[in-house]
Amino acid sequence: MITPALLPYGDAGLLLEVADTAEVVVLADACRAADLPGVLDVVPAARTVLLVLEPGTELASVRQAVEKLEVRAGEDAPAPAGSIEIPVVYDGPDLAEVARLTGLSEADVVAAHTGRAWRVAFGGFAPGFAYLTGGDPRLAVARRDEARTVVPAGSVGLAGEFSGIYPRSSPGGWQLIGRTDAVLWDLDRDPPALLAPGAEVRFTVAGT
C-alpha cells in the first residue's frame, strides 16, 4: 500500500510525497480516477503529486479523502490519458554506446525500447518535454559525461529510468538513440503538449 506523506502547499494545495516515480504514476492515476472534491488539478513530478485546490476548499477534507484511497504499488492500471504511438527512426548517435553500456546489441536496444508501453510520469525541462517511465529496465543508462550544446528537435533519448523526446532544439545530455517527426509542442493545438501526464506511449520503428 502506498502511504504518501501529506504536506500543505500554501493555502490552496496539498503535496503528496512518495518513494519513487513508479509510485507517483500509480498515485496520480488514483487521484484522477477518484475525482476528489475540491481538486482542480493533479500535477505529478519525480517524487511528488501536487493537488491544486479550488479556493476555499477545506484542506483537512482533501487530506482525509486522500488517506482513504487504497493505492498499491505495481498496479498496472489502464492509462487514463489514452495511448499515443510514436514512430522512431533508430539511428541516434548514441545507439552504439547504449548497446555497449547495456550489453545488448543495437537491434536488442531497439526491440527493448519498442517492446513495452511507456507512461508519461511528468513534464518538465522544456514545454512539451515528457519524462517517460515504465519501459524495459535494461535500458537504464547514465546521461552522457558531457552534454551536447545542441540536440535537434525530435531526438529520442534515454537517461536513468526515463526515455524522452526533445520538443525543440536545445542543449542536452541524454543518450540519443533515434529521432521522430512527432510534434511534441504546438501552441495551435489544444492542449499544446502531445504527451500529457498519465498517457501511455508506444514507440514503433518508423516505416514498419
Side-chain angles (χ1 to χ4, degrees):
M1 185 77 73
I2 298 175
T3 54
L6 306 181
L7 305 171
Y9 193 83
D11 59 358
L14 184 65
L15 192 67
L16 320 180
E17 284 189 345
V18 292
D20 54 35
T21 307
E23 290 193 359
V24 165
V25 172
V26 176
L27 183 59
D29 282 352
C31 290
R32 294 188 193 98
D35 194 19
L36 300 170
V39 174
L40 286 175
D41 199 4
V42 177
V43 184
R47 299 289 184 272
T48 61
V49 177
L50 173 64
L51 302 182
V52 181
L53 309 181
E54 295 177 356
T57 299
E58 187 179 345
L59 195 62
S61 65
V62 179
R63 177 188 290 268
Q64 290 173 359
V66 171
E67 289 173 340
K68 291 179 181 177
L69 293 176
E70 295 186 359
V71 186
R72 288 179 168 76
E75 291 183 345
D76 190 16
S83 183
I84 299 168
E85 182 177 307
I86 304 288
V88 176
V89 177
Y90 286 94
D91 62 355
D94 298 319
L95 181 58
E97 176 64 5
V98 169
R100 186 188 70 79
L101 291 171
T102 58
L104 301 172
S105 67
E106 294 184 18
D108 287 341
V109 170
V110 174
H113 197 247
T114 57
R116 292 190 183 186
W118 297 73
R119 289 288 300 277
V120 180
F122 58 97
F125 171 60
F129 190 94
Y131 288 79
L132 309 179
T133 189
D136 193 315
R138 295 177 297 171
L139 296 180
V141 291
R143 295 168 182 253
R144 287 169 49 83
D145 291 336
E146 186 172 338
R148 292 184 169 89
T149 56
V150 178
V151 174
S155 295
V156 178
L158 298 167
E161 67 184 286
F162 301 108
S163 186
I165 307 165
Y166 285 77
R168 57 182 173 80
S169 177
S170 67
W174 289 40
Q175 305 275 4
L176 306 181
I177 61 173
R179 54 190 165 87
T180 179
D181 292 331
V183 177
L184 278 298
W185 181 256
D186 182 354
L187 287 175
D188 294 326
R189 186 171 56 201
D190 184 20
L194 177 64
L195 306 181
E200 180 182 273
V201 176
R202 288 189 176 274
F203 292 103
T204 61
V205 178
T208 60

